[in-house]
Amino acid sequence: MSGKHAELFGLQIEEARKRLKDVVLETPLQYINSLSQHFGANIYLKREDLQIVRSYKLRGAYNMISSLERSVLDKGVVCASAGNHAQGFAYSCNRLGVKGVVFMPKITPRQKIKQTKMFGNGFIEIILTGDTFDDCAIAAKEYTRTHGMTFIPPFDDPRIIEGQGTIATEILHELSEQPIDYIFIPVGGGGLCSGVGAYFKDHSPETKIIAVEPEGAPSLRAALKAGHPITLVHIDKFIDGAAVQRVGDLTYDICSRVVDDTCLIPEGEVCTTILKLYNENAIVVEPAGALSITALNHYADQIKGKNVVCIVSGSNNDIDRMQEIKERSLIFERLKHYFIIRFPQRAHALKDFVNKVLGDTDDIVRFEYMKKNEKESGPALVGIELDTVEDYNKLLRRMVDYGLDFTVLEPDSDLGRYIV
């Protein structure tokens, strides 16, 4: 039986679980020994990255599409997605034999486009438009109206939310013998958090529900502060699976009632988590999929001795992004720094910099003169990778003592974003 939160919003999560029983995988709830030892807690990962389409989005998409009348399905369905909803949508169209049209932002990784076509298996058409999810959503809805089709939203619909909420039924069934103290849920538009959150508040009200967002796209945090959904003017699109300018109206209503706290995660910190998960646990996740695990760093004191679940939302990560992920991680960890250096115009100046200024483990990873004409007499952009954080101040002292004319280039500054 659904409790008051689910009933209040008309969510039939138990019914959705029955509908999805033969379609989605009941993904593992995996105890991670390394994380548990590190935080002094029992850390479990709900591995939705191992779902059929490598994300939880299949649950909501199939639940909604399969609930439509055949006469409606015959006219076709449309979605807008940064990638994961598109793949769940495409798989559902293929499984149900329905024509679908997928609108994706132009910045969508090629891997996600290819995967969407594969899961659609001839039943879907892809249209790339706009720079953000919100841009392509406007185009998708206009196309839907023009062609008399049905729009399948990525998060703001009860049938989508109750499909995502089926994750909660699996978690609570598997950990029925022990209490769950914390659950960390990644948030973009809020469909996953509202579905899982509503079910948990009804069936495990003592569990603390933590909504985890990218620092560069805090749509839920902003809505909760304002008391209603607002549209963020600028967002960082790097964590594409959660980079949404505006949380849903319905998802906001539910999250405002069930979320205990929100946590904003710097994009660079997410990158560090991605690399650690791969190197230490052989787990491959996309940036949005690493949000919940990264949040553990911010709750280290609260979760000691507790039972904790992190939802790993997806693993659709394009390998072409790995260099950027490493770069962002190193900058966040303060192990990579950029300088504009005006070398003295004399012989051996660059050689002396390498031999007398750089430390034994300092490594030049980028060097380029910045002027097109007479470039060797102009300033140079120099990127230096360090072994430890402590090496940075030592390097700065040697640069000052040597008399170098230099400027520290902050990656988050306007100039840094433009050059680096």
Side-chain angles (χ1 to χ4, degrees):
M1 292 290 292
S2 295
K4 59 183 179 180
H5 290 88
E7 288 179 354
L8 177 63
F9 295 98
L11 303 180
Q12 300 177 6
I13 295 174
E14 295 287 0
E15 291 302 313
R17 185 181 185 184
K18 295 175 185 175
R19 192 177 295 119
L20 296 174
K21 181 176 180 293
D22 297 323
V23 178
V24 303
L25 295 176
E26 185 166 333
T27 53
L29 186 64
Q30 184 179 6
Y31 178 84
I32 304 297
N33 189 62
S34 59
L35 288 173
S36 298
Q37 288 187 352
H38 179 76
F39 290 103
N42 296 313
I43 308 295
Y44 297 86
L45 303 186
K46 179 58 172 169
R47 299 289 305 277
E48 283 296 294
D49 57 301
L50 300 178
Q51 191 54 257
I52 301 168
V53 297
R54 297 195 292 191
S55 89
Y56 70 94
K57 287 287 192 174
L58 172 59
R59 296 173 182 267
Y62 190 91
N63 189 57
M64 181 172 179
I65 296 173
S66 64
S67 71
L68 300 174
E69 297 289 339
R70 190 69 232 183
S71 59
V72 174
L73 292 177
D74 287 343
K75 296 177 182 178
V77 289
V78 180
C79 84
S81 171
N84 286 341
H85 178 56
Q87 293 179 54
F89 173 92
Y91 184 93
S92 301
C93 288
N94 181 18
R95 176 119 180 180
L96 295 166
V98 176
K99 176 190 174 184
V101 180
V102 180
F103 281 74
M104 288 180 158
K106 293 178 181 177
I107 62 166
T108 303
R110 290 191 301 272
Q111 180 259 0
K112 289 188 177 182
I113 297 172
K114 182 179 178 181
Q115 288 294 109
T116 302
K117 289 180 180 179
M118 180 191 74
F119 288 122
N121 193 30
F123 281 93
I124 58 119
E125 172 189 357
I126 294 177
I127 298 175
L128 299 177
T129 184
D131 293 325
T132 66
F133 160 76
D134 302 86
D135 293 335
C136 80
I138 293 170
K141 290 174 183 176
E142 178 59 32
Y143 183 95
T144 302
R145 287 190 292 269
T146 302
H147 292 80
M149 302 168 79
T150 299
F151 186 69
I152 309 298
F155 46 80
D156 209 25
D157 185 280
R159 292 160 293 186
I160 297 291
I161 294 168
E162 64 192 20
Q164 322 302 28
T166 60
I167 292 174
T169 69
E170 296 175 9
I171 294 171
L172 286 171
H173 178 262
E174 188 157 349
L175 288 182
S176 59
E177 300 297 318
Q178 55 185 298
I180 299 172
D181 299 297
Y182 284 83
I183 182 166
F184 292 86
I185 309 173
V187 174
L192 176 64
C193 190
S194 52
V196 172
Y199 194 87
F200 259 83
K201 282 303 177 186
D202 292 343
H203 298 272
S204 182
E206 72 281 1
T207 302
K208 296 290 185 184
I209 296 170
I210 313 299
V212 189
E213 296 185 280
E215 191 174 70
S219 59
L220 178 58
R221 169 77 69 88
L224 292 171
K225 183 177 180 180
H228 56 81
I230 63 173
T231 301
L232 302 176
V233 178
H234 301 292
I235 63 172
D236 187 324
K237 305 166 192 172
F238 174 73
I239 304 180
D240 52 309
V244 175
Q245 287 180 280
R246 182 186 177 95
V247 73
D249 294 323
L250 177 57
T251 57
Y252 164 75
D253 286 342
I254 299 174
C255 286
S256 66
R257 287 172 168 85
V258 304
V259 168
D260 293 293
D261 196 12
T262 59
C263 180
L264 302 188
I265 305 295
E267 280 71 9
E269 189 177 4
V270 167
C271 293
T272 296
T273 299
I274 292 171
L275 296 174
K276 283 185 177 179
L277 283 172
Y278 179 76
N279 291 328
E280 297 175 9
N281 304 99
I283 296 175
V284 178
V285 296
E286 62 185 88
L291 277 171
S292 62
I293 302 169
T294 310
L296 297 176
N297 299 326
H298 300 248
Y299 287 78
D301 292 337
Q302 295 97 310
I303 65 175
K304 283 187 183 300
K306 305 295 185 181
N307 298 320
V308 179
V309 173
C310 297
I311 298 179
V312 182
S313 57
S315 64
N316 286 299
N317 201 7
D318 192 333
I319 195 170
D320 292 340
R321 305 182 75 192
M322 290 309 294
Q323 187 57 45
E324 181 185 5
I325 288 171
K326 183 180 179 183
E327 171 90 356
R328 283 179 177 256
S329 173
L330 287 169
I331 290 174
F332 174 79
E333 298 292 332
R334 298 174 59 212
L335 295 176
K336 192 170 188 178
H337 300 270
Y338 287 92
F339 305 90
I340 296 174
I341 300 178
R342 291 160 285 276
F343 288 100
Q345 298 306 304
R346 58 173 176 74
H348 309 303
L350 181 56
K351 181 179 179 181
D352 286 346
F353 172 73
V354 173
N355 292 332
K356 298 179 181 179
V357 176
L358 290 185
D360 291 340
T361 58
D362 300 345
D363 188 17
I364 295 178
V365 292
R366 183 171 176 182
F367 186 98
E368 57 184 282
Y369 288 104
M370 300 181 67
K371 291 182 65 176
K372 292 183 178 179
N373 299 318
E374 301 179 2
K375 63 181 183 179
E376 293 188 6
S377 63
L381 172 66
V382 182
I384 299 176
E385 192 171 317
L386 308 174
D387 237 17
T388 69
V389 173
E390 291 74 22
D391 290 339
Y392 179 63
N393 286 331
K394 297 175 183 177
L395 173 64
L396 287 182
R397 282 197 298 270
R398 290 193 299 271
M399 292 172 74
V400 171
D401 292 344
Y402 187 70
L404 275 181
D405 181 7
F406 69 93
T407 300
V408 177
L409 191 59
E410 297 294 345
D412 290 335
S413 67
D414 290 338
L415 183 61
R417 283 190 290 266
Y418 178 75
I419 294 178
V420 177

